[in-house]
Amino acid sequence: MCGIVAYIGTQQAYPILIKGLQRLEYRGYDSAGIALLNGNLNIYKKKGKVNDLISFVEDKNVDATCGIGHTRWATHGKPDDLNAHPHISGNGRLTLVHNGIIENYALLKEALKNEGHVFHTQTDTEVLVHLIEEVQKRNKLPIEEAVREALTQVEGAYAIVVIDKEDPGKLVGARKGSPLVIGIGNDGFFLASDGTPIVEHTKKVIYLEDEQVAVVRRNGDYEIRTINNEIHTPFIDELTMEIGRMEKDGYDYFMLKEIHEQPRTIADAMRGRINAEKNLIRLDGLDDFKGQIDAAERFIIVGCGTSWHAGLIGKYLFEDLARIPVEVEYASEFRYRNPVVKSSDVVIAISQSGETADTYAALELAKKQGAFLYGVVNSVGSSITRLTDAGSYIHAGPEIGVASTKAFTGQVTLLTLMAIKIARERNQISEEHYSKLLHEFEKIPAKAKKVMELDDKIKYIASEIKDSPNALYLGRGFNFPVALEGALKLKEISYIHAEGYPAAEMKHGPIALIDENMPVIVIATNKSLNEKIVSNIKQVKARKGIVIAVVTEGDKNIGEIADYTIAIPETEEPFSPLLSVIPLQLLSYHIAVMRGCNVDQPRNLAKSVTVE
Ligand code: G6P
């Protein structure tokens, strides 16, 4: 979703902004723009990709040591050159980039029109820059104060950066609900939606908090105030991301790189946390708040998209192993449906970015009702990690491909560790079972590596089904959420309509769709339900569906009836999603490439969904 990058200092701003915008491309966007201040404000913006902007700017003046840049994911107004950011005030003095949605923009716009303001776009952002202009003009305020005053009238979410051409030594940034990070460099300041455009310049950062306004100056000074004008002394954090992990490393796409990274990222999520020899699982987030976790009567898991699918696996894990009742909620539904939340509930938020607006709002609601909040998050220092009472990072490193892969397996790894640990603490599994699980779990990274060896076979299967307009994914038990995730991966990046279903539910609807053109991907690694799955597959075959079965190595039953089989290493059933999801990721990837799709930046999708 929208990305912001800004710079003020002694270096040339243009290369920093362009590189920054390229780093932000992964968030998903449909237009890009920059404003450079060098006496005058030069604003260049283009529908399309950052490369289109670069071509457009080729013969233009880009000499400046201060500028702001933006990638826009359209909300108000279609994606075109005009609606792209930065937007400019009516008097041409201010320019601004914005991420978020100004909910009361229509009211503000009417009031401003009555004051004589003329608008040229349909965006809420143009209203915001005019509002700041009006406040500044009326009260003769320096830009940072005009921003602060104007924001008191605004409802909704925003991260903004503003330039005032009459006050060229400073940039003003503010946030509420959408992230903004300030990088403190040796030769200037960087402001951005996340650390990716900043990390190659400096590791010293401040995560701006909600309703704070920052002014950073070329001379190296900076100041942060709350919207109520109280000075705030910020905590200076250290960015932990590595640039190397943000490059493609020879892979054609980030998604492919991230799929192949999983043996390592699953191991990273376990690192220092599990020791089968010592019979130990250590998770600081759980250990430090043992009282709250022990007392919990119910877990509520909230998330969106792929993270919700990881949450559903979490439910199966916590209920199966630890015997804790779990509800899994779409954050967007939970936040608006007046749910029953008690102080004895633990609410677990699952989020790769840690910035998803709906997940954040769901947590705020649960917090008000007294629940204990736990985060399972990838992005260090993100908003959700700061709102939760405790949590565990998955340590997957930056995930750039819009379709989540390594974050998903990282989340499931963490949830599995939590479930085994809590199961033991609640005496729900025997010591023998606990130890067996630990020993097997440690083998998962090596087994994930073995799954990667199936890539050629999966590529071949992809070539056989790539032209199908539809696909059905079926799974039972722990593999039902995997079916949902497989279907989501396929539709996200290849635009093939796909549905995930509990295998036995197929009889209640989707079976009507099955004919000789319908690929049915069955995730059939469950030992306990093998016979049942075999009957489900037979039902598909009887209607001439094309069956692609993900099975456990050595499985003969299914191999005989399926059209294609993908055999993965055997493991304990609760761990099987970590292995069975990988062939589905690879299948979607190859199909999308064969269909000529932009795998890393699928149309209309955003990586970090910071608006509702
Ligand atoms: C978007 C992304 C998905 C992600 C979902 C939730 O839809 O494209 O990959 O699963 O948001 O995001 P989160 O950062 O909260 O996991």
Side-chain angles (χ1 to χ4, degrees):
M1 209 147 267
C2 301
I4 289 177
V5 58
Y7 173 74
I8 187 163
T10 52
Q11 295 183 52
Q12 280 294 308
Y14 178 70
I16 294 172
L17 298 184
I18 288 293
K19 189 75 190 289
L21 291 180
Q22 285 167 332
R23 291 271 189 233
L24 291 167
E25 283 192 298
Y26 80 96
R27 295 168 69 92
Y29 70 107
D30 33 50
S31 56
I34 51 169
L36 296 163
L37 177 63
N38 185 0
N40 281 322
L41 275 174
N42 293 318
I43 300 181
Y44 310 117
K45 38 196 211 171
K46 264 286 160 249
K47 180 183 169 187
K49 296 290 173 195
V50 175
N51 277 341
D52 299 312
L53 177 68
I54 296 173
S55 312
F56 176 65
V57 172
E58 223 157 55
D59 54 346
K60 313 273 189 310
N61 175 13
V62 293
D63 179 35
T65 52
C66 171
I68 55 181
H70 190 264
T71 48
R72 172 174 187 252
W73 187 83
T75 56
H76 295 62
K78 62 180 187 216
D80 62 15
D81 294 356
L82 196 63
N83 287 333
H85 299 208
H87 286 280
I88 190 153
S89 59
N91 59 7
R93 175 173 166 177
L94 311 180
T95 186
L96 167 155
V97 285
H98 167 221
N99 172 12
I101 292 180
I102 307 300
E103 284 167 5
N104 58 341
Y105 84 102
L107 268 179
L108 294 170
K109 194 169 184 173
E110 273 318 297
L112 287 163
K113 274 185 181 166
N114 292 337
E115 298 291 333
H117 288 257
V118 179
F119 294 91
H120 304 283
T121 78
Q122 298 117 22
T123 63
D124 51 339
T125 306
E126 192 186 15
V127 175
L128 186 55
V129 71
H130 278 248
L131 177 68
I132 299 169
E133 170 192 359
E134 183 62 31
V135 171
Q136 183 177 46
K137 209 165 55 187
R138 203 179 309 142
N139 305 323
K140 303 201 167 35
L141 294 175
I143 182 61
E144 60 273 30
E145 284 182 36
V147 167
R148 199 174 43 70
E149 286 243 2
L151 290 178
T152 59
Q153 301 178 38
V154 161
E155 284 165 24
Y158 53 78
I160 56 168
V161 183
V162 192
I163 296 180
D164 179 353
K165 125 174 141 171
E166 307 293 321
D167 200 353
K170 60 173 80 148
L171 284 174
V172 177
R175 79 156 267 178
K176 183 184 174 197
S178 298
L180 195 64
V181 188
I182 303 171
I184 307 171
N186 291 332
D187 46 22
F189 290 99
F190 307 81
L191 288 89
S193 298
D194 60 44
T196 54
I198 296 179
V199 66
E200 55 207 272
H201 305 288
T202 176
K203 296 218 164 207
K204 271 166 60 182
V205 292
I206 296 167
Y207 293 98
L208 210 59
E209 286 169 25
D210 273 352
E211 305 206 317
Q212 289 185 344
V213 179
V215 52
V216 297
R217 298 188 170 86
R218 187 179 278 111
N219 67 9
D221 292 345
Y222 66 93
E223 186 180 87
I224 296 173
R225 285 178 185 263
T226 66
I227 208 165
N228 301 321
N229 209 13
E230 287 151 10
I231 289 263
H232 170 78
T233 311
F235 175 73
I236 299 182
D237 248 297
E238 193 178 328
L239 270 183
T240 49
M241 51 178 69
E242 301 154 31
I243 304 175
R245 292 180 83 167
M246 286 158 24
E247 309 286 351
K248 282 192 209 146
D249 284 350
Y251 286 95
D252 289 343
Y253 286 97
F254 278 109
M255 183 184 178
L256 187 61
K257 176 190 167 211
E258 287 157 3
I259 292 172
H260 282 277
E261 275 179 330
Q262 289 175 108
R264 192 189 76 214
T265 52
I266 294 172
D268 286 347
M270 294 181 188
R271 199 175 307 287
R273 291 168 164 165
I274 177 169
N275 187 330
E277 281 312 304
K278 294 192 176 149
N279 234 12
L280 194 79
I281 294 181
R282 208 187 111 184
L283 282 170
D284 290 346
L286 291 184
D287 292 329
D288 295 349
F289 295 89
K290 197 169 161 8
Q292 283 88 336
I293 306 294
D294 284 352
E297 287 170 16
R298 175 175 70 154
F299 285 180
I300 299 173
I301 301 180
V302 293
C304 303
T306 288
S307 295
W308 186 88
H309 294 157
L312 193 55
I313 295 173
K315 173 184 170 77
Y316 283 59
L317 287 162
F318 286 122
E319 294 200 340
D320 180 42
L321 296 170
R323 310 302 298 150
I324 298 175
V326 181
E327 279 165 37
V328 188
E329 300 268 0
Y330 289 108
S332 54
E333 284 298 309
F334 182 77
R335 64 181 288 195
Y336 287 120
R337 71 167 181 77
N338 195 18
V340 178
V341 184
K342 300 188 196 144
S343 55
S344 55
D345 289 329
V346 169
V347 175
I348 303 175
I350 313 221
S351 178
Q352 187 287 124
S353 62
E355 300 293 349
T356 302
D358 283 323
T359 309
Y360 189 87
L363 285 175
E364 278 185 319
L365 180 148
K367 191 177 190 114
K368 274 196 201 119
Q369 303 195 20
F372 182 77
L373 308 185
Y374 199 93
V376 175
V377 173
N378 190 30
S379 187
V380 177
S382 52
S383 302
I384 288 175
T385 63
R386 281 175 285 128
L387 181 64
T388 43
D389 300 300
S392 305
Y393 283 116
I394 63 170
H395 298 307
E399 189 180 64
I400 309 289
V402 163
S404 183
T405 53
K406 63 175 180 172
F408 174 78
T409 46
Q411 292 161 348
V412 175
T413 302
L414 242 302
L415 290 165
T416 311
L417 285 173
M418 289 170 73
I420 304 173
K421 182 174 169 66
I422 296 171
R424 185 200 206 186
E425 279 161 14
R426 293 194 173 207
N427 293 321
Q428 294 297 335
I429 51 175
S430 66
E431 277 304 294
E432 198 190 339
H433 188 189
Y434 174 78
S435 168
K436 190 169 161 223
L437 288 174
L438 255 56
H439 278 91
E440 176 57 25
F441 201 50
E442 278 190 338
K443 293 183 192 144
I444 293 293
K447 291 189 176 182
K449 201 163 181 197
K450 276 202 82 189
V451 179
M452 300 301 169
E453 291 167 13
L454 300 166
D455 195 24
D456 285 345
K457 181 164 193 192
I458 295 167
K459 195 169 176 182
Y460 169 70
I461 299 171
S463 72
E464 295 279 287
I465 61 167
K466 69 176 194 322
D467 297 320
S468 310
N470 298 292
L472 189 60
Y473 286 71
L474 303 176
R476 299 184 78 122
F478 282 99
N479 282 326
F480 162 53
V482 178
L484 295 179
E485 177 57 11
L488 178 63
K489 285 289 87 78
L490 189 69
K491 63 189 145 200
E492 276 181 314
I493 60 169
S494 73
Y495 318 138
I496 293 176
H497 167 244
E499 284 190 53
Y501 246 79
E505 269 293 301
M506 174 188 65
K507 303 187 282 297
H508 302 287
I511 199 162
L513 302 171
I514 295 174
D515 61 17
E516 65 278 15
N517 299 316
M518 175 70 107
V520 182
I521 296 99
V522 188
I523 305 101
T525 59
N526 323 52
K527 242 182 292 170
S528 60
L529 294 165
N530 192 277
E531 293 302 318
K532 309 267 177 215
I533 295 260
V534 169
S535 342
N536 297 140
I537 294 177
K538 284 187 175 155
Q539 289 156 7
V540 174
K541 277 317 303 172
R543 281 140 193 104
K544 302 203 177 85
I546 309 158
V547 173
I548 297 142
V550 179
V551 300
T552 300
E553 279 169 1
D555 185 313
K556 295 229 165 44
N557 291 347
I558 297 172
E560 277 166 19
I561 41 175
D563 297 272
Y564 308 93
T565 51
I566 301 167
I568 62 173
E570 188 175 355
T571 184
E572 290 286 325
E573 211 160 311
F575 307 157
S576 58
L578 285 168
L579 303 180
S580 60
V581 76
I582 296 173
L584 308 189
Q585 297 168 342
L586 286 166
L587 187 68
S588 309
Y589 169 80
H590 289 303
I591 292 175
V593 171
M594 288 169 193
R595 288 167 69 96
C597 301
N598 182 343
V599 172
D600 284 338
Q601 291 163 34
R603 68 184 181 208
N604 304 339
L605 291 178
K607 181 77 187 156
S608 182
V609 182
T610 49
V611 298
E612 46 173 306

